[in-house]
């Protein structure tokens, strides 16, 4: 029943641009602060105030568009979107209606190993509204600090087909935008917001079903849950022969359900028209080219290069290139070592886990990471030691060679030493040899564990294992 | 009546510079006049005696110290109440802004104030600029000083009346669809609508953004040029602001009209029904010819649609510009409401007058889905066509001669009965508004009963100098 339906999803993502000042006035854009402390006649829409476009916002928007493979227009519009709401001081939002800044881009996503290209219909600039704060005692208060913060709205084609794909798209989009440096993309601070447009249809159908819009989703996890619930809800309706209503819905994280808002009598008519206070947005071809040139190497390109230059797998390349700071860190360290794969594993398996912040940051100097990877690659230390050293370096960054020297952590490859230790251990634990003889192979592990502990974790694990098994087998005779 | 208040701006500039009298004396003279006359005339919504005298004191001190001052320094003026004055009520003659005090000054006022202009008070207007009689003010009626049974025109009726009654040496008005030109004509004064964008709109409470301009109302043409020169200039806070390439209007103002090609618009002439207005227009053309100008017949077919196009577009922009008056942040909020929608609904219903509501409804309608194509976009097309035709016209003439209004000043109460919007009266003023062109209105004749009739000189962008030159000629010739 359910499989006979296809879920069609489009995502609209609003991203706050981190310009110093707002999009139409010179108020600062810092997050937080006393309510209504970062406002002026322009962003408050006071009588007689006029907007003037902040060109930095336009440049950032173009940068994001170019990073997403869009065509950037040399001439785009600025239009009024008219509606009444207390958080909208002018009772219109200045946006871009039929002539947006960017069009026709795309984003490659990897969803559980499956690759897909998702189309990006358009990206346009618009201004943010204020924030409504509901207070039990005083009623609804409004903070206009956020009013006028520059936003770009990134609209995807309805190419997504599952909540997992949606999540992959959002993660990749966020990663690319972070690379461009135009936003800090913090969903919890509202600088990265996703709205879902979802409809269902019978597989094989080409026309679209009625779609609903789900707004106010605060995390990727909620986006996924909302999609799953909404898809089920729509399918159930259609199966019952009932129509899906075109409406805007909200998601309740507590129940995991979407719910309709107050039904409006008619669809909102925004009466779009070109804002007479503002000329067209103009960007020369040269300016656009300069912005494109200024783009850093983006995740996909970086990932490919990592795979080629350092012999990494596609998956590893993807992980290491997802975060720009991480990618640059790895890249810098990889140039200093003959063991980039070892380095990659160290970073992915050990280092990333230590970093608790949202974006990558490491207190360990690039040279030290490179050095550590060399030590491990050359076999001078074993894996367990590398892990130990790394943790120590995280607390206090030091040259691993010195640490290894001071702690006498060099790996023991000497077969004589190992054999002798094994022999003593077997003598001291006759039961182990007996157990092994009786087929209890775990006895080998216990023996290895003991000897490893005796060496302070420095024994070469592979060699020790081999010798231990030999020693126990010999005892059998 | 003190002789001082009869002087022109040019005479004041000289008198003050020569220290024949002080700014304080002059200000007191005008304040006295206001006290004597304004109860009957009703030009002012608020009079700022203390502030004006304090400003006059400053100017006198500066002059005593030998500092170089602008020509307008120490000269008292009045300002229409839709221009923001920090801390001073700016109401647009509307209930919805009845106690609104802006936290900032309009750029044009900031510039005049730094030049030493003295502000006597804010003047009455049609609510938010919507009207042509000043009868749509929510506050009071303003009477035409030339005949108290007549309207002074609108929407800058208060500013025009103040100047005509000598309650100010000059005044600032705003012209969206003729609101400086028509009241100037009805009060026998000179009014200029400058090239769109050359005077900053920052701080001018918006009515129709692509039409609004700020312009001076004065007793003489030379005064007008002097005032406009002090106000003109690019403003980085106004994205539609433009630099005027040649703002020294007073220079060359006496060069005469010999050789100037003056176009008489065929469609305008044909549409005039009032005999006095027609005679004034024709006689003005004759007088120019006698002075050496060449009179050319020009056809501007799109003129016929200009009032309708203006009506649609101005109301559309207004419906959006006035949406911010929702009672939430400032202005009048209704006392009783059940919900947010109710708050908006009640505040606006109670706060806006009938004329404003009519225009907002019309404006919202012509922008709404299903109608926008037929109305708003059609009007835009007319605007483009008119722009092309006028550009064409200015290739064969230097300025155009047209009426200002279809009739001489009419009685108060005569037109308020009609509920149909009377945009057809804006027929002659609409073209300059639609195309952002400069246009000067000046007295050119009288009715049999002695009422003033003005004519309008309209030019290509940035041609204010030519308009003033031609204006001065007619003015001089009338005196002779």
């Amino acid at each position: 029943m359910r499989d006979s339906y296809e879920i069609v999803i489009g995502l609209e993502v609003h991203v706050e641009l981190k310009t110093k000042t707002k999009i139409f006035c010179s108020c600062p854009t810092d997050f937080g602060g006393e309510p209504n402390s970062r406002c002026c006649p322009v962003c408050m829409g006071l009588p007689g105030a006029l907007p003037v476009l902040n060109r930095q916002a336009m440049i950032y928007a173009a940068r994001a568009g170019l990073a997403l493979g869009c065509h950037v227009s040399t001439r785009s519009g600025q239009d009024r979107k008219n509606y009444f709401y207390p958080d909208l001081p002018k009772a219109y939002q200045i946006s871009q209606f039929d002539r947006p800044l960017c069009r026709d881009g795309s984003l490659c996503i990897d969803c559980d190993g499956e690759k897909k290209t998702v189309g990006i219909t358009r990206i346009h600039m618009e201004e943010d509204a204020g924030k409504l704060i509901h207070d039990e005692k005083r009623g609804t208060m409004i903070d206009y600090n956020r009013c006028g913060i520059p936003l770009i709205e990134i609209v995807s084609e309805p190419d997504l087909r599952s909540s997992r794909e949606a999540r992959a798209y959002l993660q990749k989009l966020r990663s690319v935008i972070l690379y461009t440096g135009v936003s800090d993309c913090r969903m919890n601070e509202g600088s990265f917001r996703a709205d879902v447009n979802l409809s269902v249809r019978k597989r094989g159908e080409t026309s679209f079903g009625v779609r609903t819009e789900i707004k106010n989703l605060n995390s990727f996890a909620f986006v996924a849950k909302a999609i799953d619930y909404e898809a089920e809800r729509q399918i159930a309706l259609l199966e019952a022969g009932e129509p899906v209503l075109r409406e805007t819905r909200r998601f309740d994280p507590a129940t995991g359900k979407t719910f309709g808002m107050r039904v409006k009598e008619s669809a909102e008519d925004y009466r779009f028209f070109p804002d007479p206070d503002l000329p067209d947005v103009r960007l020369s071809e040269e300016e656009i080219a300069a912005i494109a040139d200024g783009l850093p190497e983006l995740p996909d390109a970086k990932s490919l290069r990592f795979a080629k230059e350092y012999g990494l797998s596609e998956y590893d390349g993807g992980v290491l290139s997802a975060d720009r700071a991480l990618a640059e860190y790895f890249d810098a360290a990889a140039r200093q070592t003959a063991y980039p794969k070892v380095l990659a594993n160290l970073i992915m398996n050990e280092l990333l886990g230590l970093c608790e912040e949202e974006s990558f940051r490491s207190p360990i100097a690039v040279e030290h990471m490179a050095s550590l990877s060399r030590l491990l690659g050359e076999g001078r230390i074993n894996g367990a030691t590398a892990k130990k050293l790394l943790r120590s370096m995280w607390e206090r960054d030091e040259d691993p060679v010195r640490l290894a020297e001071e702690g006498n952590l060099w790996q023991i490859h000497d077969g004589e030493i190992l054999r002798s230790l094994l022999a003593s251990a077997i003598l001291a634990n006759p039961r182990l040899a007996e157990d092994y003889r009786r087929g209890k192979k775990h006895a080998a592990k216990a023996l290895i564990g003991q000897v490893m502990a005796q060496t302070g974790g420095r024994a070469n694990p592979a060699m020790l294992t081999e010798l231990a098994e030999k020693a126990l087998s010999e005892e059998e005779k | 009546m003190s002789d001082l208040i009869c002087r022109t701006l040019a005479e004041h500039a000289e008198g003050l510079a020569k220290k024949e009298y002080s700014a304080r004396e002059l200000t007191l003279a005008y304040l006295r006049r206001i006290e004597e006359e304004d109860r009957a005339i009703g030009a002012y919504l608020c009079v700022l005696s203390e502030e004006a005298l304090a400003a006059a004191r400053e100017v006198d001190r500066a002059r005593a110290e030998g500092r170089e001052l602008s020509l307008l320094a120490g000269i008292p003026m009045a300002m229409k109440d839709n221009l923001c004055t920090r801390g001073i009520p700016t109401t647009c003659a509307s209930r919805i802004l009845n106690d609104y005090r802006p936290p900032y000054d309009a750029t044009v006022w900031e510039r005049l104030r730094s030049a030493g202009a003295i502000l006597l008070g804010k003047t009455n207007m049609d609510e938010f600029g919507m009207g042509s009689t000043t009868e749509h003010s929510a506050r009071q009626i303003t009477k035409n000083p030339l005949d108290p049974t007549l309207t002074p025109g609108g929407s800058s009726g208060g500013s025009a009346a103040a100047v005509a009654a000598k309650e100010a040496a000059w005044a600032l008005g705003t012209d969206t669809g003729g609101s400086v030109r028509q009241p100037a004509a009805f009060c026998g004064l000179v009014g200029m609508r400058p090239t769109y964008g050359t005077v900053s709109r920052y701080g001018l409470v918006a009515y129709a953004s692509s039409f609004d301009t700020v312009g001076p109302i004065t007793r003489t043409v030379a005064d007008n040029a002097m005032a406009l020169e002090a106000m003109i200039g690019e403003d980085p806070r106004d994205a539609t602001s433009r630099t005027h390439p040649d703002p020294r209007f007073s220079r060359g103002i006496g060069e005469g009209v010999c050789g100037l090609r003056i176009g008489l618009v065929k469609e305008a002439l044909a549409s005039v029904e009032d005999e006095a207005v027609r005679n004034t227009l024709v006689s003005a053309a004759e007088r120019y010819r006698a002075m050496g100008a060449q009179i050319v017949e020009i056809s501007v077919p799109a003129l016929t649609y200009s009032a309708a196009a203006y009506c649609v577009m101005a109301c559309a922009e207004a419906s959006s510009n006035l949406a911010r008056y929702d009672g939430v942040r400032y202005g009048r909020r209704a006392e009783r409401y059940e919900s947010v929608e109710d708050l908006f609904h009640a505040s606006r219903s109670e706060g806006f007058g009938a004329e404003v509501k009519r225009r907002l409804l019309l404006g919202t309608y012509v922008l709404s889905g299903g109608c926008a194509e037929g109305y708003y976009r059609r009007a835009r097309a007319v605007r483009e066509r008119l722009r092309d035709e006028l550009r064409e016209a200015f290739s064969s003439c230097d300025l155009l001669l047209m009426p200002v209004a279809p009739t001489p000043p009419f009685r108060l109460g005569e037109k308020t009965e009609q509920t149909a919007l009377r945009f057809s009266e804006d027929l002659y003023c609409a073209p300059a508004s639609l195309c952002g062109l400069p246009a000067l209105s000046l007295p050119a004749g009288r009715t049999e009963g002695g009422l003033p009739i003005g004519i309008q000189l309209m030019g290509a962008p940035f041609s204010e100098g030519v308009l003033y030159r031609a204006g001065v000629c007619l003015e001089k010739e009338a005196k002779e």
Side-chain angles (χ1 to χ4, degrees):
Chain A
M1 183 258 279
R2 197 193 180 286
D3 284 341
S4 63
Y5 285 90
E6 180 177 55
I7 308 168
V8 177
I9 301 157
L11 292 175
E12 278 168 20
V13 176
H14 287 86
V15 174
E16 271 180 24
L17 302 177
K18 61 177 196 194
T19 50
K20 283 205 200 56
T21 58
K22 294 185 177 181
I23 192 173
F24 294 116
C25 65
S26 35
C27 288
T29 54
D30 313 357
F31 181 71
E34 274 295 298
N36 297 311
S37 62
R38 295 198 243 276
C39 304
C40 72
V42 177
C43 54
M44 283 296 288
L46 293 188
L50 293 173
V52 179
L53 182 64
N54 174 352
R55 278 188 77 83
Q56 187 67 271
M58 174 194 70
I59 291 169
Y60 277 16
R63 201 192 289 181
L66 290 166
L68 292 167
C70 293
H71 168 258
V72 175
S73 296
T74 51
R75 199 169 169 165
S76 55
Q78 298 199 79
D79 305 291
R80 293 193 186 177
K81 179 179 181 181
N82 300 279
Y83 64 95
F84 286 90
Y85 206 64
D87 68 359
L88 197 64
K90 299 188 295 294
Y92 60 83
Q93 178 198 40
I94 301 176
S95 176
Q96 296 186 295
F97 176 53
D98 53 352
R99 293 155 64 225
L101 183 68
C102 313
R103 293 201 122 108
D104 302 331
S106 64
L107 187 66
C108 290
I109 64 169
D110 184 321
C111 183
D112 303 332
E114 279 198 35
K115 286 220 214 305
K116 184 171 186 156
T117 300
V118 179
I120 289 175
T121 317
R122 52 179 275 157
I123 302 179
H124 70 259
M125 294 188 289
E126 57 183 41
E127 53 175 349
D128 209 346
K131 220 188 294 197
L132 294 179
I133 299 161
H134 303 284
D135 182 291
E136 286 255 338
K137 278 178 259 155
R138 297 186 295 169
T140 304
M141 318 295 288
I142 313 169
D143 177 10
Y144 293 102
N145 282 352
R146 200 182 65 177
C147 213
I149 295 225
L151 298 176
I152 43 172
E153 182 176 324
I154 304 171
V155 182
S156 83
E157 290 285 327
D159 291 344
L160 300 161
R161 295 285 175 269
S162 71
S163 57
R164 281 192 339 277
E165 280 187 8
R167 204 165 173 164
Y169 172 83
L170 289 172
Q171 272 160 351
K172 186 63 178 288
L173 184 68
R174 187 169 176 277
S175 167
V176 171
I177 302 281
L178 281 170
Y179 259 75
T180 62
V182 305
S183 172
D184 54 25
C185 295
R186 295 206 178 114
M187 228 165 166
N188 61 339
E189 281 179 10
S191 53
F192 191 89
R193 307 168 213 162
D195 294 340
V196 172
N197 286 309
L198 187 150
S199 65
V200 299
R201 63 186 176 192
K202 282 274 189 187
R203 275 191 202 284
E205 269 230 29
T206 49
S207 61
F208 292 115
V210 174
R211 73 163 194 265
T212 59
E213 186 180 6
I214 309 168
K215 291 175 100 77
N216 252 33
L217 297 158
N218 288 332
S219 74
F220 292 175
F222 290 165
V223 168
K225 287 200 176 101
I227 288 173
D228 288 337
Y229 177 83
E230 182 63 13
E232 286 296 332
R233 188 188 75 86
Q234 288 193 13
I235 291 171
L237 279 174
L238 293 178
E239 284 290 295
E242 286 176 42
V244 172
L245 290 174
R246 180 130 159 56
E247 56 175 348
T248 302
R249 298 174 73 85
R250 293 271 146 111
F251 176 73
D252 179 7
T255 57
K257 298 185 181 170
T258 64
F259 57 96
M261 316 215 7
R262 245 186 38 166
V263 177
K264 287 203 182 139
E265 310 82 52
S266 55
E268 189 84 57
D269 178 2
Y270 295 115
R271 301 186 301 285
F272 282 101
F273 71 101
D275 194 327
D277 290 328
L278 293 163
D280 277 353
V281 179
R282 306 277 213 133
L283 261 179
S284 68
E285 295 284 6
E286 291 76 39
E287 281 173 302
I288 296 175
I291 297 170
D293 280 342
L295 282 175
E297 185 185 38
L298 294 171
D300 286 348
K302 232 192 245 298
S303 177
L304 250 113
R305 181 169 63 81
F306 283 176
K308 214 163 70 155
E309 235 177 85
Y310 304 125
L312 300 183
S313 72
E314 222 178 81
Y315 176 78
D316 289 355
V319 171
L320 289 168
S321 63
D323 177 303
R324 182 175 173 184
L326 170 62
E328 286 171 1
Y329 184 79
F330 166 74
D331 209 358
R335 284 172 208 284
Q336 297 179 28
T337 175
Y339 300 94
K341 276 196 188 156
V342 174
L343 173 71
N345 286 333
L346 270 175
I347 290 177
M348 289 192 301
N349 301 334
E350 306 300 335
L351 188 66
L352 282 186
L354 295 171
C355 177
E356 285 174 355
E357 289 155 46
E358 212 178 291
S359 28
F360 177 77
R361 192 193 66 84
S362 165
I364 303 175
V366 156
E367 313 81 72
H368 294 165
M369 273 313 292
S371 173
L372 186 66
S373 73
R374 273 198 302 276
L375 291 178
L376 181 57
E378 290 164 5
R380 293 177 65 197
I381 57 173
N382 67 18
T385 304
K387 188 166 169 174
K388 201 157 75 173
L389 283 176
L390 200 140
R391 271 163 209 268
S392 162
M393 284 152 72
W394 182 268
E395 296 304 318
R396 197 159 72 112
D397 186 26
E398 279 185 78
D399 181 359
V401 172
R402 204 162 48 101
L403 281 176
E405 197 53 55
E406 277 172 11
N408 190 21
L409 301 173
W410 303 117
Q411 187 165 219
I412 300 175
H413 310 265
D414 192 333
E416 287 301 317
I417 299 176
L418 292 181
R419 265 193 288 269
S420 138
L421 286 173
L422 281 166
S424 318
I426 289 174
L427 270 176
N429 297 281
R431 186 97 68 75
L432 277 179
E434 250 183 67
D435 288 343
Y436 192 79
R437 249 178 273 133
R438 277 204 225 109
K440 296 207 174 137
K441 300 299 172 192
H442 72 267
K445 280 212 184 79
L447 181 65
I448 289 164
Q450 262 197 41
V451 174
M452 184 60 94
Q454 280 182 327
T455 64
R458 295 183 296 137
N460 181 321
M463 188 183 276
L464 179 60
T465 306
E466 203 191 305
L467 292 175
E469 283 175 2
K470 245 203 213 140
L472 286 169
S473 319
E474 278 169 3
E475 279 290 318
E476 282 188 315
K477 295 190 189 117
Chain B
M1 166 166 70
S2 155
D3 155 64
L4 281 185
I5 61 175
C6 294
R7 294 190 182 195
T8 64
L9 291 187
E11 286 166 348
H12 281 315
E14 198 182 318
L16 287 166
K18 289 199 178 134
K19 300 199 175 127
E20 281 169 26
Y21 46 92
S22 66
R24 181 183 154 77
E25 275 179 73
L26 190 56
T27 304
L28 280 170
Y30 281 109
L31 286 172
R32 202 169 301 130
R33 177 72 174 172
I34 292 170
E35 218 183 286
E36 287 163 8
E37 298 297 314
D38 208 55
R39 200 158 304 143
I41 292 177
Y44 284 90
L45 289 176
C46 79
V47 179
L48 306 164
S49 326
E50 272 179 51
E51 293 88 339
L53 288 169
R57 198 169 28 244
E58 274 311 302
V59 172
D60 286 334
R61 186 177 310 153
R63 212 183 291 275
E65 285 171 10
R67 281 203 263 141
E68 195 176 314
L69 297 176
S70 133
L71 288 174
L72 291 183
I75 303 180
M77 61 171 291
M79 201 155 82
K80 190 172 177 182
D81 206 23
N82 59 355
L83 287 159
C84 285
T85 40
R86 180 193 262 122
I88 294 167
T90 300
T91 69
C92 302
S94 175
R95 294 235 295 284
I96 216 165
L97 285 180
N98 63 1
D99 61 0
Y100 175 67
R101 287 167 195 263
Y104 73 101
D105 282 321
T107 297
V108 68
W109 171 233
E110 211 175 72
R111 293 194 178 160
L112 288 170
R113 192 162 39 82
S114 339
I118 312 289
L119 182 63
L120 291 166
K122 309 296 284 299
T123 56
N124 198 21
M125 53 185 282
D126 284 297
E127 190 179 352
F128 282 109
M130 300 181 184
S132 44
T133 62
T134 309
E135 288 167 301
H136 293 296
S137 163
R139 301 273 295 274
Q140 65 201 41
I141 299 283
T142 301
K143 302 197 175 110
N144 191 324
L146 301 177
D147 178 337
T149 64
L150 303 182
T151 165
S155 60
S156 310
S159 283
V163 177
K166 301 194 178 63
E167 293 177 14
W170 70 285
L172 264 188
T174 67
D175 188 306
T176 300
S179 295
V180 158
R181 293 165 282 165
Q182 184 251 38
F186 277 17
C187 292
L189 300 168
V190 179
M192 170 65 97
R193 179 199 162 90
T195 307
Y196 179 82
T198 55
V199 177
S200 170
R201 279 189 305 121
Y202 188 79
L204 161 56
V205 179
Y207 159 13
S209 317
S210 70
F211 298 92
D212 293 341
T213 59
V214 182
I217 297 175
T218 58
R219 304 224 319 274
T220 70
V221 175
D223 279 1
N224 205 287
M226 196 170 127
L228 187 61
E229 269 184 56
M231 291 159 41
I232 212 140
E234 207 182 276
D235 184 7
R237 285 175 291 185
D238 175 355
T240 60
S241 139
R242 309 152 79 179
T243 312
H244 199 294
D246 187 17
R248 306 264 288 276
F249 309 127
S250 303
R251 204 163 42 149
I253 205 175
E255 277 172 19
V257 295
C258 202
L260 217 58
R261 298 164 303 166
I262 298 178
L264 205 49
V265 181
K266 191 174 90 181
E267 289 81 4
L269 189 55
S271 65
V272 179
E273 287 175 4
D274 185 286
E275 207 179 307
V277 173
R278 169 188 294 277
N279 290 342
T280 303
L281 187 66
V282 169
S283 130
E286 284 311 307
R287 284 147 69 199
Y288 273 125
R289 200 198 304 268
M291 286 188 264
Q294 210 190 333
I295 306 299
V296 182
E297 188 186 74
I298 299 279
S299 174
V300 183
L303 189 89
T304 319
Y305 305 106
S306 56
Y310 167 73
C311 169
V312 167
M313 293 200 70
C315 289
E317 290 181 12
S319 72
S320 178
N321 285 327
L322 271 70
R324 67 191 64 197
Y325 304 109
D326 55 14
V328 173
R329 291 159 298 285
Y330 51 82
R332 199 166 179 280
R333 184 193 285 199
E335 273 162 44
R336 269 183 288 276
Y337 50 90
E338 311 262 303
S339 65
V340 166
E341 279 78 28
D342 213 15
L343 194 172
F344 297 155
H345 192 257
S347 301
R348 291 164 70 80
S349 298
E350 291 168 23
F352 285 143
E355 183 63 23
V356 169
K357 286 179 183 163
R358 274 193 284 272
R359 297 194 191 197
L360 296 188
L361 283 171
L362 189 148
T364 308
Y365 181 76
V366 300
L367 279 176
S368 52
C371 296
E373 199 53 53
Y375 289 103
Y376 182 75
R377 282 181 215 129
R378 206 45 94 68
R380 281 187 77 186
V382 169
R383 189 176 203 175
E384 284 315 304
R385 169 81 69 88
L386 188 62
R387 239 185 259 265
D388 291 339
E389 285 182 8
L390 286 172
R391 201 175 299 128
E392 179 68 39
F394 288 122
S395 64
S396 46
C397 67
D398 299 301
L399 54 100
L400 293 172
L401 176 63
M402 285 209 297
V404 181
T407 66
F410 43 83
R411 297 205 178 292
L412 286 164
E414 190 175 309
K415 312 267 180 152
T416 49
E417 296 301 300
Q418 301 170 1
T419 52
L421 293 164
R422 294 169 4 247
F423 283 93
S424 51
E425 305 220 337
D426 296 333
L427 174 63
Y428 307 118
C429 284
S433 298
L434 282 162
C435 303
L437 303 173
L440 181 69
S441 130
L442 66 152
R446 289 200 174 267
T447 64
E448 268 172 28
L451 297 177
I453 297 175
I455 51 105
Q456 186 182 184
L457 300 172
M458 185 165 78
F462 310 121
S463 64
E464 287 85 349
V466 177
L467 302 181
Y468 282 132
R469 215 171 98 201
V472 140
C473 284
L474 203 68
E475 187 182 62
K476 200 164 79 168
E477 195 264 3
K479 290 206 176 87
E480 285 155 8

